[in-house]
Amino acid sequence: MNPALDSLMLVFSANDGLSVPARTLFLGAEFHPALKNWPQVTGWQTLKPKADGWDQAGFRRCDDPPDGKWPVVLVLPGKCRDETLAWFAMARERLEPGGRIVAAMPNTAGAGRFEKDLSKAAGNITSLQKHKCRAFHAIEDGGWNEETFEAWSLLGEKRKILGTDFVTQAGIFSSEHIDPGSQLLADHLPTSLHGRVADLGAGWGFLANAALNRCPKIERIDLFEADSRALDCAKINLSHQPDEKFIHFNWHDVTTGLPETYDAILMNPPFHIGQATHVDLGRAFLTTAIASLKRGGKLFLVANRQLPYEAVLEVSGLAWRKSAETKTYKLLFAEKR
Ligand SMILES: C[S@@+](CC[C@H](N)C(=O)[O-])C[C@H]1O[C@@H](n2cnc3c(N)ncnc32)[C@H](O)[C@@H]1O
């Protein structure tokens, strides 16, 4: 269970806690057992595994931040500063007069600093600390600093990476620059790469775009990405590719497997969930990739040097080699025999 979510729910469950609202909007929605007793909760969640958990619990979910006003808006942001402030603004826009914003985050994600930010814009803040997290809330009293919220709102808009035409958004992977690991992989992709290709954890589309530019024999490329905001950016970033290239964008949890098999799979696998390092997530990506390669299919992987992916390739029986290495990254190329 996410400790920030536990802290968020404590605001409503402590002895002197707030009463459960009649209607709630939850930005960054994640299921918590205590929510079962709440009358009406609408969730917005950009990450597919969490969205699936929310759906399975039977709650209402919107693909985009919904229009409307709520008496309470819960905010469980990621770790990025611009994203968090933009989500405060999004919550403010959807708050009924006299409504309340309730946010929670881990101390290591800068909870204290964000509490100060919100208190500058909203005035009085009530706060509790538990599970190395902070939950804080503010009630709209007609005196909030709307200019600050408007400025924060702009931080959530799509933007271009400096010096490029690539569009990204705060909170998605590598939103400020091209990831050097992905660049290394792109530079080493064989131009002979052909057929049906998948990009796992495709982000805002850098690798897929580079592959299409470099490898004219690719017939089709399927992007699989868990963060719907990144996938929306990828759609824009690949929109200049010629129509005859078949490009499919899938909001998908790669750890659940893929529906088809491929001649080649590219990936720069994730190894973080929130702030924590989860090498198992990268391993799960590898397992999916190996299962989804055709016989003779090829895997092109970039990873931080210390990540132990060679062992997975070894036990799976793929022929593999380290095709390049820098101080930080390694490229592992493999073939399914
Ligand atoms: C290291 S980044 C690589 C992004 C992109 N390929 C690039 O080169 O810029 C890993 C990506 O995997 C995505 N991701 C994380 N967990 C995922 C999952 N379970 N299923 C699909 N994608 C996931 C992240 O959102 C992130 O965009």
Side-chain angles (χ1 to χ4, degrees):
M1 181 72 69
N2 176 350
L5 175 61
D6 271 337
S7 306
L8 186 75
M9 297 315 300
L10 269 182
V11 171
F12 299 91
S13 65
N15 286 342
D16 54 351
L18 302 176
S19 53
V20 166
R23 292 184 316 115
T24 309
L25 174 64
F26 192 170
L27 304 178
E30 281 184 48
F31 172 68
H32 189 285
L35 283 170
K36 273 192 176 151
N37 306 320
W38 290 37
Q40 253 197 67
V41 192
T42 299
W44 174 66
Q45 174 55 261
T46 66
L47 303 178
K48 183 71 167 132
K50 290 180 178 175
D52 285 346
W54 185 254
D55 292 348
Q56 279 153 20
F59 290 104
R60 178 165 181 257
R61 186 178 57 75
C62 299
D63 284 339
D64 297 309
D67 293 332
K69 302 276 183 196
W70 281 263
V72 168
V73 182
L74 307 181
V75 185
L76 199 61
K79 56 187 174 179
C80 161
R81 178 169 174 78
D82 286 0
E83 174 194 50
T84 301
L85 297 179
W87 285 27
F88 286 164
M90 212 192 302
R92 196 276 162 272
E93 265 172 51
R94 288 161 179 79
L95 209 58
E96 285 178 357
R100 192 186 297 270
I101 292 179
V102 187
M105 57 196 79
N107 293 336
T108 50
R113 194 183 49 170
F114 287 119
E115 182 182 322
K116 272 195 200 127
D117 285 325
L118 187 61
S119 100
K120 271 189 219 144
N124 274 337
I125 290 262
T126 309
S127 164
L128 68 79
Q129 289 196 57
K130 191 86 183 177
H131 313 303
K132 299 184 179 157
C133 295
R134 214 177 251 258
F136 45 93
H137 49 102
I139 194 156
E140 199 278 324
D141 57 4
W144 285 13
N145 184 336
E146 303 304 342
E147 277 178 16
T148 300
F149 282 106
E150 277 160 29
W152 288 350
S153 178
L154 298 179
L155 300 175
E157 290 188 355
K158 290 194 174 62
R159 48 172 95 157
K160 280 191 179 170
I161 291 185
L162 212 61
T164 77
D165 281 330
F166 292 124
V167 170
T168 67
Q169 194 173 10
I172 68 174
F173 173 78
S174 201
S175 65
E176 305 283 338
H177 59 273
I178 292 166
D179 180 68
S182 297
Q183 182 71 64
L184 182 73
L185 176 54
D187 293 343
H188 284 78
L189 283 179
T191 52
S192 59
L193 213 143
H194 63 275
R196 293 167 73 130
V197 176
D199 178 359
L200 308 192
W204 50 259
F206 171 75
L207 266 181
N209 186 57
L212 285 169
N213 290 345
R214 191 175 163 93
C215 316
K217 289 188 199 137
I218 292 179
E219 286 157 20
R220 162 180 165 161
I221 191 158
D222 292 355
L223 287 79
F224 293 93
E225 168 57 46
D227 189 333
S228 58
R229 297 167 303 176
L231 208 58
D232 286 345
C233 293
K235 286 175 191 163
I236 299 171
N237 291 328
L238 274 76
S239 59
H240 66 280
Q241 291 289 344
D243 285 346
E244 66 269 19
K245 297 283 180 192
F246 293 100
I247 308 174
H248 297 255
F249 299 89
N250 302 281
W251 190 39
H252 186 82
D253 177 357
V254 165
T255 65
T256 62
L258 303 184
E260 296 183 49
T261 54
Y262 293 91
D263 298 300
I265 293 183
L266 324 174
M267 61 179 179
N268 177 357
F271 59 96
H272 286 106
I273 298 178
Q275 291 205 304
T277 302
H278 276 259
V279 179
D280 284 349
L281 180 58
R283 286 203 191 96
F285 262 59
L286 259 183
T287 304
T288 292
I290 292 163
S292 311
L293 278 176
K294 293 178 181 170
R295 193 165 296 277
K298 293 184 172 142
L299 174 65
F300 302 92
L301 159 81
V302 62
N304 282 42
R305 275 179 61 168
Q306 80 278 10
L307 294 171
Y309 295 144
E310 290 85 345
V312 185
L313 294 171
E314 198 61 53
V315 295
S316 65
L318 265 69
W320 67 272
R321 67 191 165 90
K322 193 184 286 176
S323 70
E325 199 167 16
T326 68
K327 271 188 195 158
T328 317
Y329 301 104
K330 61 189 170 192
L331 297 184
L332 300 177
F333 288 4
E335 181 171 345
K336 192 168 187 174
R337 291 178 284 208

